[in-house]
């Protein structure tokens, strides 16, 4: 006589898979209904705000700090909390615990009237003004700059145009110099099909949805693969928390000031003028050879946004005697944030800055 289906024994492997599926579904419901994790929790004070710029000073965590303060310059497309995701996952917190006096130039969405902001405004106004405020707050003349991605480009331009100081050290992450090697962005902004003048003249500030779509085109399967990985790890609370923080940051892209975007496309992406030595900012020529302060440039092995070839010409082009390039495992974001950064970039930055910050 056959055994009724309801009484058939469930194999151990099948029982475990059923249990995992049930747990994933429960966790999936929690994922959809719970609030996103808080980010940017390291205590700080906004010491200056002007339109799209917020200048923060992070509160010291140790009694003895290095003499030279550190000013972080973020890319204008993204919020700075990627470097301060959560306790234990924060480059800012790491630097504070090592004894650095840390400031950050973070960005807000540019207002409609700020559509006329150009590279000149960032390099010859926002950065020098922030440095002056850091000097006043810290009581020190020297300042070190840490620039991330396009924040690194702005920092590089500032350094080239201010060779007599007060910049003490320049540390850069994934900073493009040869824009012709950013092949996917070139395909997206091909001048034969992309009318940047019409875009900027029509919309003013470039909306984040357009920028977000352009980054997605660099890795068209990336978002789907990420969701599959999330589902496979839905029962891992730490993985889910980390995923949600990174996903929130990626989705919260900022608009770009229209003229800044137009200038970036025409002079950097199309003209490649920074590499060629043909770039002029505010009527002043930008020469990489004029940078003579100590420079560290960290690049990622698997960076799909700023490939190694795009950032490699920096060290060869600057005039500094004290200069170093380091290529670390990781991608454009994981180089600077997450478990990979904790083990690689953060200790390297601390080691490099420490001997140059007294």
């Amino acid at each position: 006589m056959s055994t009724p289906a309801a009484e058939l024994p469930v194999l151990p492997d099948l029982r475990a898979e059923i249990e995992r599926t049930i747990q994933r579904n429960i966790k999936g419901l929690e994922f959809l209904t719970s609030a996103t994790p808080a980010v940017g929790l390291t205590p700080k004070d906004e010491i200056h705000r002007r339109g799209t710029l917020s200048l923060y000073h992070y509160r010291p965590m140790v009694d003895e700090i290095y003499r030279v303060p550190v000013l972080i310059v973020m890319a204008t497309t993204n919020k700075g909390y990627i470097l301060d995701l959560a306790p234990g996952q924060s480059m800012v917190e790491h630097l504070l615990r090592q004894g650095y006096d840390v400031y950050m130039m973070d960005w807000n969405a540019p207002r409609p009237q700020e559509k006329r902001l150009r590279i000149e405004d960032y390099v010859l106004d926002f950065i020098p003004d922030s440095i002056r405020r850091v000097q006043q707050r810290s009581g020190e003349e020297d300042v070190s700059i840490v620039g991330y991605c396009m924040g690194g480009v702005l920092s590089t331009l500032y350094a080239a145009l201010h060779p007599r100081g007060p910049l003490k050290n320049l540390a850069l992450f994934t900073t493009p110099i040869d824009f012709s090697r950013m092949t996917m962005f070139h395909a997206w902004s091909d001048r034969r099909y992309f009318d940047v003048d019409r875009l900027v003249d029509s919309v003013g500030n470039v909306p984040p949805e357009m920028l977000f779509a352009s980054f997605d085109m660099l890795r068209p399967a990336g978002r789907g693969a990420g969701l599959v990985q999330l589902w496979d790890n839905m029962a891992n609370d730490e993985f889910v928390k980390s995923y949600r923080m990174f996903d929130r940051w990626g989705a919260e892209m900022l608009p770009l000031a229209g003229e800044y975007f137009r200038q970036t496309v025409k002079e950097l992406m199309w003209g490649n003028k920074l590499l060629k030595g043909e770039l002029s900012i505010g009527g002043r020529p930008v020469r990489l050879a004029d940078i003579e302060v100590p420079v560290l440039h960290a690049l990622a092995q698997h960076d799909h946004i700023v490939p190694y070839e795009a950032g490699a010409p920096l060290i060869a082009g600057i005039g500094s005697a004290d200069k170093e390039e380091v290529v670390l495992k990781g991608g454009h974001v994981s180089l600077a944030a997450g478990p990979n950064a904790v083990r690689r970039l953060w200790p390297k930055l601390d080691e490099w800055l420490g001997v140059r910050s007294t």
Side-chain angles (χ1 to χ4, degrees), residues 255-299:
L256 274 181
E259 292 303 324
Y260 171 81
F261 180 77
R262 190 197 318 256
Q263 200 176 5
T264 299
V265 170
K266 286 188 171 183
E267 300 196 27
L268 297 181
M269 191 65 66
W270 291 352
N272 208 14
K273 291 183 178 181
L274 179 55
L275 179 72
K276 295 177 180 177
E278 300 173 356
L279 184 65
S280 178
I281 299 296
R284 300 161 58 182
V286 177
R287 302 185 186 91
L288 292 176
D290 289 341
I291 300 176
E292 296 185 346
V293 297
V295 174
L296 171 70
H297 190 194
L299 294 160

Side-chain angles (χ1 to χ4, degrees), residues 128-356:
D129 182 49
S130 295
I131 287 178
R132 284 191 293 270
R133 294 175 188 278
V134 171
Q135 291 172 317
Q136 292 167 3
R137 182 98 171 184
S138 67
E140 294 293 337
E141 179 69 19
D142 294 330
V143 176
S144 294
I145 284 181
V146 175
Y148 184 20
C149 188
M150 284 300 293
V153 173
L154 297 176
S155 302
T156 299
L157 300 180
Y158 170 83
L161 293 172
H162 298 81
R164 286 178 288 278
L167 187 61
K168 173 72 171 175
N169 304 294
L170 179 61
L172 304 168
F173 308 155
T174 63
T175 295
I177 299 297
D178 184 354
F179 283 78
S180 72
R181 306 307 292 269
M182 297 175 70
T183 53
M184 289 299 292
F185 277 109
H186 260 282
W188 170 74
S189 64
D190 190 318
R191 69 176 74 197
R192 293 174 297 174
Y193 315 111
F194 181 55
D195 191 341
V196 66
D197 290 324
R198 182 178 181 185
L199 172 68
V200 173
D201 292 342
S202 300
V203 304
N205 294 327
V206 179
E209 292 80 11
M210 178 181 171
L211 301 170
F212 191 75
S214 70
F215 279 98
D216 264 2
M217 283 190 290
L218 295 177
R219 297 180 73 179
R223 183 160 294 274
L227 290 173
V228 171
Q229 190 177 23
L230 171 64
W231 177 248
D232 288 342
N233 290 275
M234 191 60 75
N236 183 333
D237 291 340
E238 285 303 311
F239 180 93
V240 172
K241 179 181 177 181
S242 180
Y243 177 93
R244 297 191 72 179
M245 290 188 294
F246 278 97
D247 188 61
R248 172 182 171 179
W249 178 78
E252 290 183 351
M253 293 192 73
L254 299 171
L256 274 181
E259 292 303 324
Y260 171 81
F261 180 77
R262 190 197 318 256
Q263 200 176 5
T264 299
V265 170
K266 286 188 171 183
E267 300 196 27
L268 297 181
M269 191 65 66
W270 291 352
N272 208 14
K273 291 183 178 181
L274 179 55
L275 179 72
K276 295 177 180 177
E278 300 173 356
L279 184 65
S280 178
I281 299 296
R284 300 161 58 182
V286 177
R287 302 185 186 91
L288 292 176
D290 289 341
I291 300 176
E292 296 185 346
V293 297
V295 174
L296 171 70
H297 190 194
L299 294 160
Q301 284 181 348
H302 310 292
D303 193 335
H304 68 291
I305 295 175
V306 181
Y308 171 78
E309 294 78 11
L314 175 69
I315 292 300
I318 61 177
S320 308
D322 181 358
K323 54 186 177 180
E324 180 180 357
E325 175 188 278
V326 57
V327 182
L328 301 174
K329 184 178 179 180
H332 189 76
V333 178
S334 64
L335 174 81
N340 179 62
V342 174
R343 298 190 300 270
R344 295 183 175 91
L345 180 62
W346 300 356
K348 176 61 184 178
L349 179 61
D350 173 35
E351 173 194 345
W352 188 85
L353 270 180
V355 297
R356 296 168 175 84

Side-chain angles (χ1 to χ4, degrees), residues 8-159:
L8 287 174
V10 179
L11 297 175
D13 289 348
L14 179 58
R15 187 189 301 276
E17 184 58 36
I18 291 172
E19 180 63 27
R20 279 194 296 270
T21 300
I22 292 171
Q23 289 300 317
R24 277 200 298 257
N25 278 280
I26 294 172
K27 291 291 186 179
L29 287 173
E30 293 177 359
F31 178 87
L32 293 173
T33 58
S34 61
T36 55
V39 292
L41 298 177
T42 302
K44 62 183 181 294
D45 301 297
E46 187 179 53
I47 62 174
H48 178 60
R49 186 183 182 104
R50 175 159 59 105
T52 187
L53 170 69
S54 286
L55 178 62
Y56 292 107
H57 181 214
Y58 291 87
R59 298 171 191 171
M61 290 187 171
V62 295
D63 293 333
E64 295 186 10
I65 61 175
Y66 286 103
R67 180 185 67 83
V68 181
V70 174
L71 175 63
I72 299 172
V73 181
M74 281 300 300
T76 56
T77 47
N78 295 104
K79 298 296 292 180
Y81 66 73
I82 188 62
L83 302 180
D84 183 31
L85 283 177
Q89 298 185 55
S90 166
M91 189 188 85
V92 168
E93 178 192 53
H94 177 80
L95 291 174
L96 291 170
R97 293 195 181 281
Q98 301 309 309
Y100 297 94
D101 188 16
V102 181
Y103 298 76
M104 180 185 288
M105 292 179 66
D106 201 7
W107 305 102
N108 313 297
R111 300 167 299 181
Q113 60 267 36
E114 291 179 304
K115 66 183 180 181
R116 294 182 179 85
L117 289 175
R118 293 169 55 84
I119 292 176
E120 284 84 343
D121 296 290
Y122 294 92
V123 173
L124 301 178
D125 184 1
F126 284 128
I127 293 180
D129 182 49
S130 295
I131 287 178
R132 284 191 293 270
R133 294 175 188 278
V134 171
Q135 291 172 317
Q136 292 167 3
R137 182 98 171 184
S138 67
E140 294 293 337
E141 179 69 19
D142 294 330
V143 176
S144 294
I145 284 181
V146 175
Y148 184 20
C149 188
M150 284 300 293
V153 173
L154 297 176
S155 302
T156 299
L157 300 180
Y158 170 83

